[in-house]
Amino acid sequence: MDKNILATAAFLGMTGILLGAFGAHGLKKIVEPESVASFETGVRYQIYHALFLLFIGTTTLLNEAAKKQIFTLVVTGVVLFSVSIYFLALKKYIPFEIKKIGFITPIGGLLLIGAWGMLFLNIIKQK
């Protein structure tokens, strides 16, 4: 499981850097500044959670079940949170009404909060 967590962390980090570069260089030319700022928020949270998964994949503070639960929450949360923000920032280039799925962004945020909460609970219940 640790190998999957670390590989996913590396993938999220790599794609986060690529998307960040796109946001900093290419996106500014095609969308308004508010959309660029929103896009950058998605990138920032993706990178934060790539680093979080690096920690989860290497720590000995958690058992495998806790790692798997946190991993699932983080991956699902990043997809719902960051990816939905990317789509919202690019809404004028998306061929369907993206606002109809905008409700998934806060659900993704709640899943990310839940992952951190799981880490917190697992640490404080240790003896």
Side-chain angles (χ1 to χ4, degrees), residues 63-127:
N63 62 39
E64 288 303 309
K67 286 183 178 187
K68 186 175 182 179
Q69 290 172 327
I70 291 170
F71 173 73
T72 301
L73 287 169
V74 168
V75 170
T76 308
V78 166
V79 168
L80 295 179
F81 184 81
S82 291
V83 175
S84 68
I85 288 176
Y86 302 148
F87 284 142
L88 288 168
L90 294 165
K91 65 184 172 235
K92 70 181 186 180
Y93 299 101
I94 305 290
F96 58 90
E97 184 57 47
I98 195 70
K99 287 185 181 183
K100 292 180 181 178
I101 64 165
F103 69 92
I104 66 173
T105 307
I107 294 170
L110 287 173
L111 294 174
L112 295 173
I113 293 166
W116 285 93
M118 290 277 308
L119 174 63
F120 174 73
L121 291 175
N122 276 277
I123 289 173
I124 64 167
K125 71 180 183 181
Q126 290 182 1
K127 297 185 178 178

